[in-house]
Amino acid sequence: MKVLHQGQAPQTLLQLRPLAGSIQRIGVRAESHVSVRHSGRTRELPSPPGIQMVLSVEVTRISRDDGDVHYRFMLEQMDLRVKAGTPVNDAEALRAELAPLPGLRGEGRVSPHGRSNHFQVALPKALSSHLNEPLQQLLKTLGGMGTFLPASAVGLGARWEHQTQEPLSTTTVEFKTLEKKEVGLRMELFAPPSSTEPRTQSRGQGGCVMSLDRLWPIRYELEVDTHAHVQSQDDGPPRRLETTTHLRMRIRELSFTSPLPRPSAYVR
């Protein structure tokens, strides 16, 4: 994490401070559509159904030595957001594939600065590749939510960036609002052209509101356009095609249970 501008005074250290025993339930929606451009013309491709799910996460304990937050989560509900024109049989077949997923469990661990130190979930082996890959990516995104926070004190207007190597990308974050424990952030994402075929690059923007006594944002939206240049496989002379995939993901907190009445609220 590299801080580009420290922001205004006063400055504060943005750290996750959840309490053991707290339970957060969130709703997640993700959907995409694809268009193809060649010979100066653009056309929309049939879009896969979107995914909507409800997850719950419980903070199980806080490590005394390093302050790491240990948590477990469960997928409570999962369904498709079927678009108009999708054949009924196709939608029902996909729903049947998703049927074993509710009840899926996982666990993770993050540092007080939000760095993910561990994230584990095992999807069913029988899950088809066209569902396995997007679900793995979605769960990985959820597991890394805390990386929006810098490790040094910042004030309103501060800007910092976070880089990942696989795939290579840079997310630039701006500190927009602070009200009690709620932090409002604006985000821009850029992934440079890849070095392998197909050549892809991505740009995205969004924002989120994080409450520092939670692990996942209480509100989050991100829209990303990924452009890919691919070689046409049609008969005839080779043609270069450009595809654009537009992805939108939205998260909303559904409920939050205070740990105070729960025996597991004590640090172990």
Side-chain angles (χ1 to χ4, degrees):
M1 186 72 68
K2 178 182 180 182
V3 176
L4 306 175
H5 177 54
Q6 293 291 141
Q8 307 170 13
Q11 296 173 355
T12 185
L13 188 61
L14 303 178
Q15 287 189 321
L16 299 176
R17 299 185 181 91
L19 295 176
S22 61
I23 298 177
Q24 184 185 14
R25 297 176 67 249
I26 64 168
V28 182
R29 290 183 178 181
E31 52 193 354
S32 63
H33 64 262
V34 182
S35 62
V36 175
R37 180 176 177 81
H38 67 93
S39 302
R41 296 182 179 181
T42 301
R43 63 184 178 93
E44 297 288 328
L45 297 182
S47 300
I51 293 175
Q52 58 184 19
M53 61 178 72
V54 175
L55 300 104
S56 62
V57 57
E58 179 182 8
V59 177
T60 56
R61 67 186 181 94
I62 313 296
S63 297
R64 291 184 181 276
D65 51 352
D66 52 18
D68 274 7
V69 181
H70 297 248
Y71 66 92
R72 60 190 174 204
F73 65 90
M74 182 180 72
L75 177 60
E76 294 185 0
Q77 302 173 25
M78 187 161 196
D79 200 1
L80 300 175
R81 292 178 56 81
V82 180
K83 300 178 181 180
T86 301
V88 174
N89 290 343
D90 292 350
E92 291 307 314
L94 286 172
R95 282 197 169 100
E97 290 189 67
L98 295 175
L101 291 178
L104 185 72
R105 298 174 184 272
E107 62 180 16
R109 184 175 73 250
V110 297
S111 74
H113 296 299
R115 305 298 173 265
S116 179
N117 295 327
H118 173 71
F119 185 79
Q120 182 177 10
V121 58
L123 293 174
K125 294 181 179 180
L127 197 64
S128 59
S129 60
H130 65 273
L131 289 176
N132 188 296
E133 293 177 9
L135 283 175
Q136 288 280 16
Q137 184 58 47
L138 182 58
L139 290 169
K140 182 179 178 181
T141 300
L142 291 171
M145 284 295 180
T147 56
F148 296 145
L149 302 178
S152 58
V154 292
L156 290 176
R159 296 175 68 248
W160 58 89
E161 65 180 22
H162 172 68
Q163 291 187 332
T164 61
Q165 296 300 318
E166 295 182 8
L168 181 63
S169 67
T170 299
T171 301
T172 304
V173 185
E174 183 178 1
F175 186 6
K176 299 290 291 184
T177 62
L178 176 63
E179 184 175 350
K180 296 182 179 179
K181 296 180 180 180
E182 294 187 4
V183 178
L185 305 174
R186 182 177 181 273
M187 299 167 292
E188 293 184 355
L189 179 146
F190 174 67
S194 61
S195 58
T196 58
E197 294 288 344
R199 302 279 182 171
T200 63
Q201 69 176 53
S202 302
R203 286 188 181 276
Q205 60 182 0
C208 76
V209 176
M210 300 188 70
S211 182
L212 298 179
D213 60 352
R214 302 331 195 237
L215 285 181
W216 284 334
I218 56 177
R219 294 191 299 277
Y220 173 91
E221 289 197 9
L222 180 67
E223 297 193 32
V224 179
D225 285 322
T226 299
H227 302 281
H229 294 272
V230 297
Q231 186 79 38
S232 171
Q233 300 299 316
D234 298 338
D235 294 335
R239 292 180 299 162
R240 297 290 290 179
L241 308 179
E242 180 182 346
T243 66
T244 300
T245 302
H246 181 80
L247 171 68
R248 182 183 183 189
M249 187 168 79
R250 188 180 76 173
I251 291 174
R252 293 290 185 272
E253 181 179 85
L254 302 177
S255 66
F256 178 74
T257 303
S258 169
L260 296 180
R262 298 171 55 85
S264 59
Y266 296 100
V267 175
R268 297 190 293 274

